[in-house]
Amino acid sequence: MPEVRVKARDGSDHIVAATVGAPLMEALRDGRLGIDGTCGGACSCGTCHVYIQAEWLDRLPLKSSDETMMLEALGEFVPLKDNSRLSCQIPVNDALEGITVEIAPAVE
Ligand code: FES
């Protein structure tokens, strides 16, 4: 199970184990790190927004048009960055061992 390094909203650092083949969102949600994953990974809620450490971006699948549209909608409420991704759209694989993410601000 790849380990994911996570910076929570309060600045604290955590490590969670992720399941290969499952969305990254599930490991963050199950780790109770502030990711709700309200839509269950259907790319329709935006509650799984994370900032990916730059060195990992090239190892991730490209954003789908659905993810891009959801992020654009989210950007009206929270800061979007070049490294913004929806963690439900990132399938975990062994190559992501050590990936580092920061939980984005919650939509109020
Ligand atoms: S879990 Fe809803 S958009 Fe990712």
Side-chain angles (χ1 to χ4, degrees), residues 80-102:
L80 279 190
K81 299 182 182 180
D82 289 343
N83 59 345
S84 285
R85 292 295 305 259
L86 295 179
S87 57
C88 70
Q89 301 302 299
I90 300 173
V92 173
N93 59 54
D94 287 325
L96 296 186
E97 169 67 38
I99 187 172
T100 304
V101 307
E102 177 182 352

Side-chain angles (χ1 to χ4, degrees), residues 23-90:
L24 176 59
M25 173 274 287
E26 293 186 6
L28 302 175
R29 179 196 62 198
D30 296 348
R32 299 176 185 268
L33 293 170
I35 291 289
D36 292 333
T38 307
C39 73
C43 201
S44 61
C45 71
T47 64
C48 64
H49 179 203
V50 295
Y51 303 125
I52 306 285
Q53 192 178 60
E55 68 191 77
W56 291 93
L57 287 172
D58 289 346
R59 299 182 225 184
L60 303 181
L62 296 176
K63 290 177 206 161
S64 66
S65 57
D66 283 349
E67 182 179 357
T68 299
M69 284 192 292
M70 187 68 238
L71 282 169
E72 286 173 1
L74 200 55
E76 297 184 21
F77 305 100
V78 297
L80 279 190
K81 299 182 182 180
D82 289 343
N83 59 345
S84 285
R85 292 295 305 259
L86 295 179
S87 57
C88 70
Q89 301 302 299
I90 300 173

